[in-house]
Amino acid sequence: MKKRELLLLLFSLCSVLVSAQQKVPNRFRTNIPLDSIHLSDPCILADKKTSTYYMTGTGGLLWKSKDLARWEGPYRVAETDPDSWMGPKPEIWAAELHEYNGKYYYFATFTNNAIKIDTVKGNVIPRRASHILVSDKPDGPYKPMKDPTYLPANMPTLDGTFWVDSDGKPYMIYCHEWLQNWNGTMEKIELKPDLSGSIGKGKILFRASDSPWSREKMEDKVLPNRVTDGPWLFRTGTGRLGMIWTSWVFQDYTQGVAYSESGTLDGPWIQEKEPITPPNFGHGMLFRTLDGEWMMSVHSHKDVNGRYIRIPHLFKVDLSGDKLKID
């Protein structure tokens, strides 16, 4: 089997496993240790108003905790419109929670496998896009807003995240999926002031091939990996703008970091030479605990007898200097 075909097969298996995971009934549990939860792309909101941590990710579910150690859930919090392009039961990937101007926003990737938008190199691409839901409460329910779409319908996008840039305007940062363009991109698009829709067109920030650390093997050649995944923006203690994001080092899911030379989303973005996390930890995000300590939430990525096991993990981080450091 050629390397390209193997990569497509692995991607397809991941999609099937995520889809199957969402169809399995979830039994509500309490007092659950973090490492007993199977969850991809964990994102944690530390809400001071309720003194509670809210964790979401792939699957459209929510977990709650008072101390980050013991959790209860899962809760179903995303309410999509069955008459929209998403259909009655969309897959939900990489959900994030963001508080902004007194409301709570649910950034997620929604997939409707019944709609096919493209076929590239023999691979059929379904309708998939980053989208935003809103709620008055951190635990939802999260519901659609005004605009039915944020990004072009003929373009598969994923892992949308939120950032207010130095111009004071809100933006969505997202990935144009490599399966269509064959060299995944990281892009930005301006959002309306209430995040109810997007303004204008997206702009490319960097491409997967810009990374000096991510690699894949194609036949007898070692090349830059094509995947961009899981962006998250931050500023260091010196005010430097950075972005953590994930790709692959051959078969290892791994996270790197880039910094903007201009201090704005427009970059240029300079990639660090080495990954920021150990192998098979990725899709990270940063949050400040209720006690003011900076943490990184990631998931581990492990293949057990052909089944992907993904578990949330927390790393302490240091943002006091000019670079992000993992303690």
Side-chain angles (χ1 to χ4, degrees), residues 117 127-129 149-157 174 189 202:
I117 63 171
R127 178 78 167 92
R128 176 178 296 125
T149 61
Y150 285 76
L151 297 164
N154 62 350
M155 178 178 171
T157 57
Y174 59 92
I189 194 166

Side-chain angles (χ1 to χ4, degrees), residues 95-147:
E96 297 183 359
L97 302 180
H98 296 271
E99 184 183 6
Y100 182 64
N101 288 345
K103 289 186 177 293
Y104 296 87
Y105 294 90
Y106 187 94
F107 283 62
T109 303
F110 298 89
T111 300
N112 183 347
N113 285 303
I115 301 176
K116 311 303 179 183
I117 63 171
D118 203 354
T119 301
V120 179
K121 298 182 184 291
N123 187 59
V124 177
I125 300 172
R127 178 78 167 92
R128 176 178 296 125
S130 297
H131 201 87
I132 307 172
L133 309 179
V134 67
S135 178
D136 291 324
K137 301 185 299 180
D139 54 356
Y142 287 89
K143 300 181 179 182
M145 290 184 280
K146 182 179 178 181
D147 286 11

Side-chain angles (χ1 to χ4, degrees), residues 181-246:
N181 59 25
W182 226 239
N183 186 7
T185 60
M186 202 67 73
E187 306 190 11
K188 72 164 187 175
I189 194 166
E190 185 181 347
L191 298 173
K192 294 179 179 180
D194 63 355
L195 313 192
S196 64
S198 59
I199 299 172
K201 297 181 179 180
K203 177 183 176 181
I204 296 175
L205 305 182
F206 60 83
R207 302 178 188 276
S209 58
D210 294 338
S211 167
W213 54 266
S214 63
R215 288 288 179 268
E216 63 179 289
K217 193 171 184 180
M218 295 285 288
E219 297 178 347
D220 60 343
K221 296 180 180 179
V222 174
L223 302 170
N225 199 281
R226 291 163 285 184
V227 174
T228 49
D229 191 66
W232 186 272
L233 284 295
F234 65 93
R235 286 199 184 274
T236 67
T238 61
R240 193 180 188 192
L241 178 62
M243 181 195 302
I244 51 176
W245 65 285
T246 302

Side-chain angles (χ1 to χ4, degrees), residues 225-291:
N225 199 281
R226 291 163 285 184
V227 174
T228 49
D229 191 66
W232 186 272
L233 284 295
F234 65 93
R235 286 199 184 274
T236 67
T238 61
R240 193 180 188 192
L241 178 62
M243 181 195 302
I244 51 176
W245 65 285
T246 302
S247 189
W248 295 80
V249 180
F250 302 111
Q251 300 304 311
D252 293 332
Y253 192 65
T254 308
Q255 183 170 257
V257 62
Y259 293 97
S260 168
E261 285 199 327
S262 68
T264 73
L265 287 175
D266 288 329
W269 288 89
I270 307 301
Q271 307 289 334
E272 292 287 277
K273 292 182 179 180
E274 300 296 331
I276 196 70
T277 52
N280 287 315
F281 288 90
H283 203 111
M285 57 82 58
L286 303 172
F287 70 99
R288 210 164 200 163
T289 68
L290 296 173
D291 296 325

Side-chain angles (χ1 to χ4, degrees), residues 31-67:
N31 201 34
I32 303 300
L34 183 63
D35 60 7
S36 294
I37 299 173
H38 287 194
L39 180 66
S40 301
D41 318 320
C43 180
I44 297 174
L45 172 70
D47 187 61
K48 292 183 178 180
K49 296 177 184 176
T50 58
S51 299
T52 302
Y53 297 100
Y54 300 89
M55 180 172 66
T56 187
T58 288
L61 303 175
L62 183 79
W63 295 81
K64 300 180 185 180
S65 175
K66 291 293 184 179
D67 60 6

